Amino acid sequence: MGKIISIANQKGGVGKTTSAINLSASLAALGKKVLLVDADPQANASSGLGIDIRNLEFTVYECLVDEVPVSQAIKKVELDNLYVLPSHIDLVGAEIELLNMEKREHIMQRMLKPVAADYDYIIIDCSPSLGLITVNSLTASDSVIIPVQSEYFALEGISKLLNTIKIIKSRLNPKLEIEGFLITMFDNRLRSANQVFAEVKKHFGELVFDTVIYRNVRLSEAPSHGKSILQFDPDSRGSSNYEDLAKELSER
């Protein structure tokens, strides 16, 4: 049975999708079979791996709302071992459509169940909100990675996310754990970045990944080419950071 990990933070611009794409690619490079589920209506994880989101018959939307089997929507991407369940802007409307469905918080869990054993890891890129799709993602997951940008307001809103995780754990998914806090966009020349890192370490201790994702221009350029950082610039610092993260995660 594959491990299902959500990457979640309701704060936008913290490197969530970048981490979802490049962690998935790095795990695939380690020989793990990986499915990346794009659960964000912006569909950046899909386009960031070269999928033409304008010409898709089925996406995560049809799987959630119309019960189309996941196997019909999954796309193979250029990298060996890596598959994507793409998203679409239609997913915005799914929040409302799911409201009246039975056991609405468990729809993604039911959706992924038939394919869970086919993969070593299923990584879910959550949208930057704590709406019903994100609740579904966390209910379907074994654990959650929380990316934290190393800047002044980084810790704002984390308590809200932690509270949501606590509620989901007590009411919907008792096995949900925090996989770890991932420091992103780190610049060790900035005092504020070092302070945020120290603060996160102080609060969350062992739950903070040893691997830190440094600020790296190549990381932000890669998605516009429809490639992971491993394909776009394998010698960059961003690439080695995500390779280290994949090793750290797989060794846990």
Side-chain angles (χ1 to χ4, degrees):
M1 198 71 162
K3 184 167 193 179
I4 303 177
I5 304 173
S6 279
I7 300 184
N9 191 331
Q10 78 274 22
K11 191 174 186 292
V14 298
K16 188 176 48 58
T17 299
T18 299
S19 294
I21 290 172
N22 294 307
L23 175 58
S24 298
S26 299
L27 286 166
L30 287 177
K32 309 292 184 188
K33 193 177 178 189
V34 182
L35 173 64
L36 173 56
V37 177
D38 190 349
D40 185 345
Q42 295 172 87
N44 292 338
S46 307
S47 58
L49 280 168
I51 292 171
D52 182 357
I53 55 174
R54 295 162 302 179
N55 296 310
L56 293 170
E57 187 180 359
F58 299 123
T59 66
V60 70
Y61 171 81
E62 284 79 17
C63 298
L64 285 168
V65 175
D66 302 326
E67 295 185 18
V68 168
V70 170
S71 54
Q72 291 186 33
I74 289 171
K75 296 284 175 201
K76 178 79 186 77
V77 294
E78 265 183 41
L79 274 168
D80 286 347
N81 301 318
L82 183 56
Y83 300 79
V84 177
L85 176 56
S87 186
H88 191 270
I89 192 66
D90 288 352
L91 194 60
V92 170
E95 296 267 341
I96 297 158
E97 294 180 66
L98 296 180
L99 276 176
N100 296 320
M101 291 190 182
E102 196 181 333
K103 291 198 168 177
R104 62 191 182 194
E105 296 90 354
H106 294 271
I107 292 166
M108 189 176 293
Q109 191 178 44
R110 293 200 299 269
M111 176 191 94
L112 291 174
K113 199 174 180 183
V115 299
D118 299 339
Y119 298 92
D120 297 306
Y121 288 95
I122 297 177
I123 306 288
I124 306 175
D125 181 31
C126 298
S127 65
S129 77
L130 292 177
L132 190 52
I133 302 289
T134 298
V135 169
N136 258 273
S137 302
L138 294 170
T139 303
S141 296
D142 298 300
S143 63
V144 54
I145 290 174
I146 302 169
V148 180
Q149 189 180 353
S150 54
E151 57 146 48
Y152 185 64
F153 293 114
L155 295 171
E156 272 194 6
I158 282 190
S159 58
K160 198 174 175 187
L161 174 59
L162 292 177
N163 196 42
T164 301
I165 291 168
K166 193 174 165 186
I167 292 166
I168 289 169
K169 194 173 163 71
S170 66
R171 297 183 190 171
L172 299 165
N173 179 11
K175 72 177 191 294
L176 182 65
E177 299 293 343
I178 293 172
E179 189 71 48
F181 292 84
L182 175 66
I183 301 292
T184 61
M185 303 180 200
F186 186 67
D187 186 340
N188 59 354
R189 297 167 301 179
L190 300 176
R191 185 199 288 178
S192 59
N194 287 296
Q195 283 173 337
V196 168
F197 188 24
E199 194 73 10
V200 174
K201 267 287 199 195
K202 190 176 93 180
H203 277 288
F204 304 111
E206 294 293 303
L207 284 175
V208 183
F209 282 103
D210 292 332
T211 305
V212 172
I213 310 300
Y214 282 78
R215 194 173 285 281
N216 182 256
V217 176
R218 304 300 273 168
L219 270 177
S220 52
E221 291 172 347
S224 62
H225 296 266
K227 293 181 186 297
S228 71
I229 191 66
L230 275 77
Q231 301 157 284
F232 182 64
D233 190 349
D235 299 322
S236 66
R237 189 176 204 174
S239 182
S240 64
N241 285 169
Y242 279 106
E243 286 173 284
D244 289 344
L245 178 63
K247 284 177 197 148
E248 186 178 348
L249 180 67
S250 62
E251 283 165 10
R252 285 188 165 192

